[in-house]
Amino acid sequence: MTTDVRTVTPNATVKDAAQIMHNVNVGSVPVVENNRLVGIITDRDIVLRTVAKGQDPNTKVCDIMSRDVKTITPDTEVHEAAEIMAQKQIRRLPVVDNGNLVGIVSIGDLAVEGKYEDEAGEALHDISKNTLS
């Protein structure tokens, strides 16, 4: 899991979130209030919910973020995280402890950790097969 996670608040702008994604080369940014996870904004959210609709880049994150965020805890087993990613067709899982954001796990994190490459491959396969058909 990555523990040095950049975040935004719900009142930040979509442009602020996009700048963070650009600066740290990520595709999503957790949305927090007082370190409590309240949503997530992805590059896809920005494109589909802002750019494609001709919205202003100064739109607030809370207006386009995903609120129903699937999370895991620090003690979640790797194979369970990979299974959740596959079932929910997501590539990133925020890690929370008592509601507080403590990190994020991505499909890439699983892939680069040699002993988990099978889980990562299976999850990515399941995610991709449903989006390609």
Side-chain angles (χ1 to χ4, degrees), residues 9-28:
T9 64
N11 288 322
T13 67
V14 170
K15 183 177 178 180
D16 295 334
Q19 290 272 210
I20 290 171
M21 290 178 199
H22 172 76
N23 291 340
V24 293
N25 195 28
V26 296
S28 69

Side-chain angles (χ1 to χ4, degrees), residues 61-82:
V61 166
C62 62
D63 293 335
I64 70 157
M65 70 183 189
S66 298
R67 296 174 188 275
D68 184 24
V69 182
K70 183 63 181 164
T71 63
I72 57 174
T73 61
D75 60 345
T76 301
E77 295 289 329
V78 172
H79 69 275
E80 184 180 347

Side-chain angles (χ1 to χ4, degrees), residues 9-10 12 27 29-30 34 60 70 76 78 82 85-86 92 109 111 124:
T9 64
V29 179
N34 301 320
K60 289 185 178 183
K70 183 63 181 164
T76 301
V78 172
M85 289 178 185
R92 305 159 191 98
D109 293 330
L124 186 57

